Structure formats: C-alpha cells, structure tokens
Amino acid sequence: MVLVRTFLGVNVQAAVVPPISPARTATAAGLIDVRSRVPDLALDIQYAGSDNFLGRPAKGYLAPKCLLLPTAADALARAERALRAQGYRLLIWDCYRPVRAVDDFVRWAHAPAEDERGKAAHYPRLAKSQLLGDYIAPVSGHSQGATVDLTLLRCVDGRTCAPLDMGTGFDYFDPLAHTDAPGLTADQRANRARLRAAMEEAGFRNYPLEWWHYTFDGAAANLRYDVPVE
C-alpha cells in the first residue's frame, strides 16, 4: 500500500496496520471517559450528532463522550489545567473512534447519492468522489485510543468561553487546514501556535495536515478498537 494522506489522521504503509482488538466494551479495551479526569471538560463530539461532513451520526457513536486510554486522558487533563491558568480551555470534537465509524466514512464516500449537506462547511472546493484517498482512508489512528481533535476557547472570568478563530472549522478538507498553512491572519496563526504549544508541552504531537489533530504517542496501543462510544 502506498503512503496515504488522510484527514483521519494516519499515514498507512503496507504491513503496518494494527490489528483489531477482540474487546467488546470500552472497559475491556482499557478506554476511559476523559471526564473522569476533567469533569467539566468542554465537549462537542461531532460524530455523535449531525453537524459533521456525513450530515448524520457516525456508526458506533451512541453517546457524545470522549474516550481515551488512561495515559492519554491524563495528558489531556494536564494540557487543560495549563491552559485554564492562562484564561483558555479546550473544546473536544473527537477522541477514540471505533473502526466501524471509519468504515462508515468510507462507505459514505463511495455512495455519491448519500447526503451531502456537509459539503459547504467541509469540502466546498471538492466533489465528494475526490475525498477518497487524500482525505478518507480505511484506517485511522483515532481507533487506537490516544488521538484527539480539538480547538481552543478563550474564557472571561473562567466562565464565559468562546472559540478562537483558527482559520477553518473542524474537518475542513483543504490545504488551509494544514497547521502551518499560508494565507492565515496573524491572529489565526497565533491561535494555532498557542494550541500546539500547550499540547506539545503535555506530550502530544500534531498531525501537520490538520491543525486540530493531536496524538499522545506514549499511550498509543498497537491495536485498533471497535467498541462503541457509549
């Protein structure tokens, strides 16, 4: 298999795809709810609802929860604590992603007649058929339990918070979503840099084609999981 660039956040080569765990529940897989570490963590789990490129909930998302392996959850909590001290917070869009959800993405991309209500917000300059390969691939690092998609909130008095301008929204299939993309305003570039600095300090690594995508390498399992998010 040739190297694949994909919005799912994984570079895949032949014989490197992790096997799927036989675990049937999050507990058996060793995944925990991140709110066990940060009870008031801001969540907007996109694939549990219809505000995403599919235009509907993804398979396997039965609840709007952020599940991760414990060491990744602890690292995310460290980043959140550091940002709160600076007047910011994290807003989480996705965490662990079941294999069945990844498969759902691929099936959707192969079905040209299926809902395209997300086109304007997610792939305005591409036909749906162009998403396969460069943006949608059959394997995602999210399925290993140590990857998160997220953005920054700026807070007033620690209570009233609003998202910062990052230059694009989540799952925007375009070079403008690259972390160091040209054409950003000074504020947008500074906001992305602030997020990256906080996440790197906590031990996360950015995927450079997606400013919102971070992986905690110290936690990643050599397995993919297919337990539902519930």
Side-chain angles (χ1 to χ4, degrees):
M1 184 182 297
V2 297
L3 189 69
V4 177
R5 186 182 70 203
T6 165
F7 84 89
L8 298 177
V10 61
N11 291 331
V12 182
Q13 287 182 308
V16 183
V17 178
I20 298 174
S21 165
R24 294 182 178 272
T25 66
T27 299
L31 297 165
I32 65 168
D33 188 332
V34 173
R35 279 189 165 167
S36 68
R37 300 300 196 261
V38 186
D40 61 345
L41 185 67
L43 302 181
D44 182 13
I45 304 301
Q46 296 282 287
Y47 301 131
S50 299
D51 185 13
N52 56 57
F53 71 92
L54 297 171
R56 57 167 174 77
K59 303 296 184 185
Y61 284 81
L62 307 182
K65 292 183 177 181
C66 171
L67 305 182
L68 289 174
L69 294 173
T71 49
D74 290 340
L76 190 65
R78 289 197 299 272
E80 174 76 0
R81 287 194 298 270
L83 284 164
R84 288 193 188 199
Q86 303 169 40
Y88 298 90
R89 292 183 63 178
L90 295 171
L91 173 63
I92 312 300
W93 284 321
D94 195 33
C95 297
Y96 155 73
R97 183 182 305 164
V99 170
R100 71 190 73 180
V102 180
D103 294 343
D104 190 22
F105 295 171
V106 174
R107 284 193 299 269
W108 171 88
H110 276 291
E114 192 173 336
D115 200 335
E116 291 195 17
R117 73 182 70 182
K119 179 174 176 57
H122 297 282
Y123 52 106
R125 296 196 280 187
L126 294 174
K128 185 179 178 183
S129 61
Q130 294 176 283
L131 300 180
L132 282 163
D134 280 349
Y135 294 102
I136 295 180
V139 176
S140 172
H142 278 274
S143 300
Q144 293 178 260
T147 296
V148 294
D149 294 329
L150 73 180
T151 190
L152 273 182
L153 304 173
R154 180 63 187 266
C155 302
V156 178
D157 297 329
R159 294 187 299 273
T160 304
C161 302
L164 292 180
D165 179 5
M166 295 294 193
T168 78
F170 173 52
D171 275 356
Y172 188 72
F173 308 150
D174 187 272
L176 191 60
H178 296 183
T179 306
D180 293 322
L184 299 172
T185 68
D187 284 346
Q188 290 164 351
R189 189 172 298 281
N191 292 339
R192 291 187 185 189
R194 184 182 295 277
L195 175 62
R196 181 164 54 185
M199 295 299 288
E200 288 180 348
E201 179 66 24
F204 287 86
R205 171 179 47 86
N206 175 242
Y207 178 57
L209 301 188
E210 301 171 353
W211 63 260
W212 56 80
H213 179 111
Y214 287 85
T215 296
F216 186 68
D217 289 326
N222 292 319
L223 292 170
R224 289 177 294 151
Y225 301 106
D226 193 31
V227 302
V229 179
E230 60 182 350

